[in-house]
Structures are given as C-alpha cells and as structure tokens.
Amino acid sequence: MKLQKGDVFASSNPQGIGRPIRWIERFWAKDRAAQYGHTGIIQDEAGTTLEALMTITEGNLFEQYHGQRVIIARPKTMAVRVERSLISLKAVHLGQIYPAWRLPLFILQPLARRVSWRGKYVVCSELVAKYLRQIGVRPYPYQGTNPDELVDEWRRWRDFEIIFEGVLPATAADFGKLRQTHAK
C-alpha cells in the first residue's frame, strides 16, 4: 500500500515536549491512554507533510519520523475536498510561527477550546482537525483538539481507515514493501 494525498498521521513525539503533552492528554482522555503527541497531514506518496513544528511547514514523514512509532489514517472522502483544503490551509497557515503560547491552555483543555484567536494560530492537532473538518469527516470544532483525540477518532469512526501503525521505516519504498509483506 502507498501513501495518498490527504492521509493523516500521528507520531509518538519522543522529544522533551512530547512526554508532558502525552501526560496531559492521558489526564483528559476518557480511556486514560495517550500514545501519540504530534500530528500532521500527508500530501503525496513520497511522504511530504504539512505540519506545525517551529512554524507551519512542509517536511517529509520518512526523514523526520523513521524509527519512531506512528499511526497513519486515511479519511474516506472525495479527492477534490482534500485538494481544496490543502490549498486553503497552506494559504492561511504556511510559514506561520508555532503558537507555543497556546500549549499551556491545553493543561485546562476546556480553556484551549475557548481561547483560540479565531483559529488564526493553530498547534499541530488543531491544524489536522481543521483539515478534517474542512473535508467533511470531522463534525467538531478544531480549536482545543489534541493528538490523542484525533487518534481515538481515527480508530473508532467509520470515516477513517488505519493503514499503518508501528515503527516507521526510513523511506517510502521501504514502507511500500512493509505493507506488501504485512498484507500476505
């Protein structure tokens, strides 16, 4: 299986900030579990991403996350919606600085949902939630959404197919071979 434009991913985010993010997510989670602390959108088969890092930027899934635990989900929607949403998100957010000042709001998650500056500045999970709302597979507002909420939705809702969960290989070619091997 290959990646497709519009797939979404979450990583374990093992960096220093990832641990506190997952701890706060676990506190607010109904299931009291949170494995993933960062999310992004996949733009093509090669793994080009749109995500909120130090800025809203484009990167590469395999270069940045190989060797880490990731989950990749595929929203079930029309390709034209995906294309329009990606164009819109890039026009509004690409190059914006990461709103680190919003992270403390997530400690009291209801506050993160209410204080959003009208969505002008988004953290990684809000960017993905905004995208999913724009393509019609997520009915909820995107403000205050955390990575664990998104992953729980991907696992439970019929509008998503989990295409991969595990340790990410180093290249798209290795990913394709891995999926073929697991399909047997």
Side-chain angles (χ1 to χ4, degrees):
M1 183 176 290
K2 293 183 179 185
L3 297 173
Q4 290 181 5
K5 179 183 282 196
D7 289 349
V8 289
F9 75 93
S11 75
S12 59
N13 193 0
Q15 295 81 11
I17 190 79
R19 287 185 192 105
I21 287 172
R22 290 192 312 272
W23 185 87
I24 292 166
E25 288 175 338
R26 275 192 291 278
F27 178 80
W28 288 104
K30 290 179 176 112
D31 61 3
R32 296 291 181 237
Q35 292 180 289
Y36 299 99
H38 176 70
T39 58
I41 306 162
I42 298 169
Q43 299 186 76
D44 57 30
E45 285 183 14
T48 304
T49 61
L50 180 63
E51 56 189 308
L53 297 169
M54 295 302 284
T55 62
I56 308 296
T57 188
E58 294 178 307
N60 183 276
L61 181 71
F62 299 102
E63 290 174 12
Q64 293 174 257
Y65 303 102
H66 71 85
Q68 294 183 33
R69 183 167 178 75
V70 299
I71 184 170
I72 302 171
R74 180 162 294 150
K76 298 176 183 174
T77 188
M78 294 184 294
V80 67
R81 286 184 177 175
V82 169
E83 187 67 33
R84 286 182 187 157
S85 180
L86 287 171
I87 290 168
S88 167
L89 288 173
K90 286 181 189 180
V92 172
H93 296 293
L94 193 62
Q96 275 184 347
I97 190 164
Y98 185 85
W101 64 89
R102 286 193 36 81
L103 290 179
L105 298 173
F106 283 82
I107 294 170
L108 297 173
Q109 192 162 11
L111 193 56
R113 295 191 193 288
R114 296 192 190 282
V115 180
S116 71
W117 291 272
R118 298 186 181 196
K120 183 176 180 181
Y121 299 100
V122 293
V123 299
C124 67
S125 50
E126 291 172 321
L127 180 71
V128 174
K130 184 176 184 178
Y131 159 73
L132 295 173
R133 183 172 170 84
Q134 286 178 349
I135 65 171
V137 296
R138 185 173 200 271
Y140 305 122
Y142 57 87
Q143 298 92 338
T145 301
N146 70 46
D148 180 63
E149 284 180 280
L150 290 173
V151 171
D152 287 348
E153 291 170 9
W154 303 343
R155 287 183 170 145
R156 290 193 312 254
W157 292 4
R158 68 174 184 247
D159 288 333
F160 296 93
E161 174 189 359
I162 303 297
I163 64 164
F164 178 80
E165 185 168 16
V167 176
L168 190 68
T171 66
D174 292 340
F175 178 77
K177 292 175 190 172
L178 179 66
R179 294 301 299 162
Q180 291 171 359
T181 303
H182 285 287
K184 290 181 181 178

